[in-house]
Amino acid sequence: MLPTVSKGRPPSSARPTPVLAPYLRRIVKWQQMDIEYTFWQMLHLCTSPKVVYQHTKYHKQTKNQWARDDPAFAVIFCLFLIVATAAYCAAYGESLANSVFTVISVVLSHFLLAGTILATSCWFLTNTYMREEAPSSHAVEQRVEWLYAFDVHCNSFFPAFIILYVLQYFVSPLLVAHGFFPTLVSNLLFMVAISYYHYLNFLGYDVLPFLDKTTFFLYPIGLVIILSPLMILSGFNPTRYTMSLYFS
């Protein structure tokens, strides 16, 4: 059950911030990207995610915005996704044309389309239902930036990418086999990856001081824990299923 709508804040009032245009322009300017800091963030998202969001607070204090102004994370993540998908195509692809189509479709659907939908959903949800009332009429009203919602999704997706695209690649010959053990391991990988995604999603919004009831983002973890044993007992192998979508 969702939290109730905040008084005096209609859904239509939530709009994306205008920082998106300069962010997109910087995508083609590699010399302005902080590559070293991006790799630092990627490492700590897998080991100490709270440290990353502690630095998000510092960014807000220095740049007066929660979202990244550097597209390096998204660009490098996209390149990693291309390399990982190409590796799957090299191992399981049938032709060069099919491999090129698979790489493009994965980047467009898994990264851009899914990221846009999930970020927009969380951006709308937080701005509409989770913002706390301003302590006084003179206080500055704060909103979740759409670009920050996209940052949170990218942060949450990266460890899942490591588990479901990189780690799974090396054990995929085992996971695509028939039997109980491949089904068990496959479901455990997906359970850990999806649960960690939602945990990082929670951390990303919990760090914002003007949001309330952010524990809502932890609820899907309970659903995943409930569904995983059911899928194992039913013999559903998510690895074999997802591989069949791209490689017949």
Side-chain angles (χ1 to χ4, degrees), residues 22-173:
Y23 177 89
L24 294 175
R25 286 196 294 267
R26 291 187 61 182
I27 288 180
V28 296
K29 299 178 180 179
W30 280 91
Q31 66 276 15
Q32 296 183 10
M33 296 184 186
D34 193 341
I35 307 299
E36 182 179 353
Y37 180 61
T38 297
F39 285 123
W40 179 90
Q41 286 182 310
M42 290 178 169
L43 173 63
H44 283 79
L45 284 170
C46 299
T47 58
S48 306
K50 290 184 178 180
V51 175
V52 176
Y53 285 111
Q54 187 64 40
H55 278 252
T56 300
K57 293 181 180 180
Y58 302 151
H59 181 78
K60 170 63 176 177
Q61 295 170 0
T62 57
K63 299 294 182 69
N64 196 31
Q65 69 179 54
W66 292 99
R68 296 186 183 101
D69 56 354
D70 183 359
F73 192 98
V75 172
I76 293 176
F77 193 176
C78 192
L79 293 176
F80 281 172
L81 188 59
I82 291 173
V83 172
T85 308
Y88 276 92
C89 291
Y92 299 100
E94 298 178 349
S95 64
L96 178 60
N98 177 261
S99 298
V100 172
F101 174 79
T102 300
V103 171
I104 294 174
S105 63
V106 166
V107 172
L108 291 180
S109 60
H110 292 201
F111 186 78
L112 294 178
L113 180 60
T116 299
I117 293 174
L118 290 171
T120 302
S121 299
C122 291
W123 165 77
F124 176 81
L125 179 66
T126 51
N127 280 319
T128 304
Y129 295 101
M130 297 184 176
R131 287 191 300 130
E132 293 181 336
E133 291 287 348
S136 69
S137 58
H138 302 288
V140 177
E141 189 178 46
Q142 298 190 72
R143 295 181 181 277
V144 177
E145 307 150 2
W146 185 89
L147 195 55
Y148 179 75
F150 185 74
D151 284 345
V152 171
H153 164 73
C154 290
N155 290 347
S156 304
F157 186 26
F158 183 75
F161 162 79
I162 296 298
I163 296 173
L164 297 181
Y165 290 75
V166 180
L167 177 60
Q168 184 176 243
Y169 173 79
F170 292 103
V171 295
S172 58

Side-chain angles (χ1 to χ4, degrees), residues 215-242:
T215 52
F216 172 77
F217 291 108
L218 294 175
Y219 293 170
I221 297 178
L223 182 62
V224 171
I225 294 175
I226 293 173
L227 291 179
S228 293
L230 298 178
M231 290 192 293
I232 293 172
L233 294 175
S234 67
F236 178 75
N237 187 321
T239 300
R240 193 162 60 241
Y241 172 75
T242 53

Side-chain angles (χ1 to χ4, degrees), residues 183-235:
T183 300
L184 173 65
V185 176
S186 176
N187 277 280
L188 288 177
L189 283 178
F190 272 80
M191 182 183 71
V192 171
I194 296 173
S195 298
Y196 198 59
Y197 172 91
H198 287 289
Y199 171 67
L200 291 188
N201 215 36
F202 158 74
L203 290 182
Y205 293 104
D206 189 58
V207 77
L208 302 182
F210 54 91
L211 292 184
D212 189 20
K213 302 177 182 176
T214 53
T215 52
F216 172 77
F217 291 108
L218 294 175
Y219 293 170
I221 297 178
L223 182 62
V224 171
I225 294 175
I226 293 173
L227 291 179
S228 293
L230 298 178
M231 290 192 293
I232 293 172
L233 294 175
S234 67

